[in-house]
Amino acid sequence: MLIAAILVLAAGTYAFRLSGVLLRDRLELSASLQRMLPMSAAALLAALAGTATLMAGSEFAGFARPAGVLAGALLAWRKAPFVLVVVAAAAVTALLRLAGIE
């Protein structure tokens, strides 16, 4: 049953992506909409990142996780290596939780 569900979802995903390629010439988008689509993708990604940062299920995640994300974001902004960004974010979160700050 699980394999069948995976195959159906895979086929649906493939069909959805293929329809975008096949119907591209049949759909006319206005110039303003074409300018806003990349911004909407960025806004959706920011909302997803904000939700994942601040929420754990339906509750507030506490202050340790947002502090770790902030530390990682600052290091990424300063163009630190990716491994350092991830390790520093995890370390800040872990140290704050070890100190009792959830």
Side-chain angles (χ1 to χ4, degrees):
M1 181 68 182
L2 180 63
I3 300 288
I6 291 171
L7 291 175
V8 167
L9 288 173
T13 301
Y14 184 76
F16 190 73
R17 290 176 178 255
L18 184 62
S19 67
V21 173
L22 295 177
L23 298 175
R24 181 180 200 134
D25 295 332
R26 298 183 72 186
L27 184 63
E28 186 77 27
L29 298 177
S30 67
S32 62
L33 185 59
Q34 287 180 358
R35 283 193 314 272
M36 283 193 286
L37 280 176
M39 290 185 287
S40 66
L44 183 62
L45 185 59
L48 180 64
T51 303
T53 299
L54 298 174
M55 303 300 290
S58 61
E59 299 177 355
F60 177 61
F63 293 101
R65 186 187 301 175
V69 170
L70 180 63
L74 287 173
L75 286 172
W77 177 60
R78 301 290 296 168
K79 299 193 186 324
F82 180 72
V83 174
L84 179 64
V85 169
V86 172
V87 169
V92 167
T93 303
L95 289 173
L96 287 174
R97 287 183 178 168
L98 186 64
I101 300 171
E102 289 291 321

